[in-house]
Amino acid sequence: MSAIATETTKAAESTRTVHFRIKRCDGPGKPSRWEVFDVPVPAHANVISCLQWIAANPTTADGKATTPVVWESSCLEEVCGACTMVINGKVRQSCSCLMDEYAPNDGDTITLEPMSKFPVIRDLWVDRSRMFDALKRVRAWVPIDGTYSLGPGPMEGPKESETRYKLSECMTCGCCLEACPQYHLETDEAAWATSFIGAAPISQARLFNEHETGAVLKADRLEALMGPGGINDCGNAQNCVQVCPKEIPLTESIATIGRAATFEAFRRFFQSR
Ligand code: SF4
Ligand code: SF4
Ligand code: FES
């Protein structure tokens, strides 16, 4: 039996006390502080269920009454990306983070922090809207008139469908942006508009460029990615692909869009002569 399996079996046997060290912040622009909570953790608990216990019992380990910790979650099955946070130094979804793996023993400590590349709204809840703005920037949609029936869409081969299905699994969780050394938290709107867009929107541009109908906006998407903050700002560190919970081939998408942007630049150059 592996060491993890042994620890997991041990953890499953009884409720244990785990120290939750949580980075807290009362609101945008407010200073942050650490608070520790001692949580009775039953077998098979996940981080969210422990946060729910803390919300119902907002008293720190040293007996001080405090406010309930705030976080965001929705699907609870690693589909929406809302519960993403930094757990023991690594960005991931908290709903799928099992305590039996992360803190199997009585007296273990687990550390929770909000993602650092997004503005904090409160405690572990961050504002991911800059990622959704980036999807608008690269026109990540298929432009169709939905006011009347257009009949069946274009046929897609199994190979293309397999490639695009994988790309479509992106849940805009932000893990790839959190891990990227080129992606920064910009509070200034003007600086944000020209700062690196990150791997997820680049990969979504590829998803829609490779759709037969979506391809009509290909030149617009490439234009957005050829400018400041676009594809050329990627330093190819490949952290993004390592942390993506959906195992999306982000570096392959970056290379594909990089090649398409080069062709587009040549096309424009020769067209203008
Ligand atoms: S390859 Fe590196 S620089 Fe480029 S998006 Fe991924 S993590 Fe960021
Ligand atoms: S590409 Fe992966 S890590 Fe990045 S936002 Fe999408 S699902 Fe999350
Ligand atoms: S709550 Fe949706 S991914 Fe965790």
Side-chain angles (χ1 to χ4, degrees):
M1 196 185 278
S2 71
I4 288 185
T6 311
E7 292 302 337
T8 303
T9 311
K10 249 196 276 168
E13 283 164 7
S14 60
T15 295
R16 60 207 185 271
T17 298
V18 173
H19 311 298
F20 272 73
R21 194 167 165 264
I22 302 180
K23 193 172 190 182
R24 306 212 48 191
C25 172
D26 290 338
K30 301 259 175 72
S32 52
R33 66 184 186 282
W34 289 95
E35 280 181 359
V36 179
F37 300 85
D38 286 348
V39 180
V41 177
H44 313 306
N46 62 6
V47 165
I48 297 271
S49 62
C50 296
L51 284 171
Q52 285 169 332
W53 187 92
I54 294 170
N57 303 275
T59 304
T60 62
D62 52 5
K64 289 197 190 100
T66 183
T67 49
V69 175
V70 176
W71 75 96
E72 187 183 20
S73 62
S74 180
C75 70
L76 300 182
E77 52 182 354
E78 211 180 87
V79 170
C80 73
C83 68
T84 307
M85 58 184 73
V86 179
I87 304 178
N88 286 353
K90 192 176 169 226
V91 67
R92 60 161 299 155
Q93 284 64 57
S94 49
C95 65
S96 57
C97 182
L98 300 178
M99 294 298 296
D100 292 353
E101 260 179 52
Y102 270 66
N105 302 307
D106 191 47
D108 278 348
T109 297
I110 190 165
T111 303
L112 308 183
E113 295 168 76
M115 284 195 281
S116 64
K117 305 285 178 80
F118 299 90
V120 173
I121 297 173
R122 189 165 174 162
D123 296 335
L124 303 168
W125 177 25
V126 298
D127 179 0
R128 290 181 298 142
S129 53
R130 58 186 305 187
M131 200 166 26
F132 300 105
D133 290 344
L135 293 178
K136 290 188 214 155
R137 214 161 124 193
V138 298
R139 293 167 179 74
W141 58 76
V142 174
I144 52 163
D145 183 349
T147 56
Y148 63 99
S149 171
L150 297 169
M155 293 290 283
E156 191 170 51
K159 191 165 176 297
E160 292 75 21
S161 147
E162 197 184 325
T163 304
R164 291 200 332 103
Y165 182 78
K166 193 70 206 155
L167 304 180
S168 76
E169 287 186 305
C170 175
M171 54 179 169
T172 48
C173 65
C175 287
C176 57
L177 309 182
E178 177 71 14
C180 174
Q182 300 294 109
Y183 191 84
H184 304 292
L185 170 62
E186 295 287 357
T187 44
D188 178 74
E189 280 298 309
W192 154 230
T194 55
S195 67
F196 181 45
I197 197 162
I202 293 173
S203 189
Q204 291 302 292
R206 178 187 174 203
L207 169 68
F208 290 99
N209 278 0
E210 293 183 6
H211 183 278
E212 201 164 315
T213 311
V216 297
L217 293 179
K218 186 172 177 179
D220 295 338
R221 293 192 194 99
L222 293 175
E223 180 167 353
L225 290 171
M226 285 155 67
I231 192 85
N232 289 334
D233 287 8
C234 169
N236 204 25
Q238 310 203 355
N239 296 11
C240 51
V241 77
Q242 286 166 28
V243 297
C244 177
K246 297 295 179 188
E247 298 180 351
I248 294 171
L250 292 169
T251 41
E252 190 185 295
S253 289
I254 291 165
T256 303
I257 289 290
R259 279 193 299 275
T262 306
F263 282 127
E264 179 65 12
F266 277 123
R267 190 187 69 79
R268 288 178 188 202
F269 175 75
F270 288 114
Q271 212 172 40
S272 66
R273 289 165 69 90

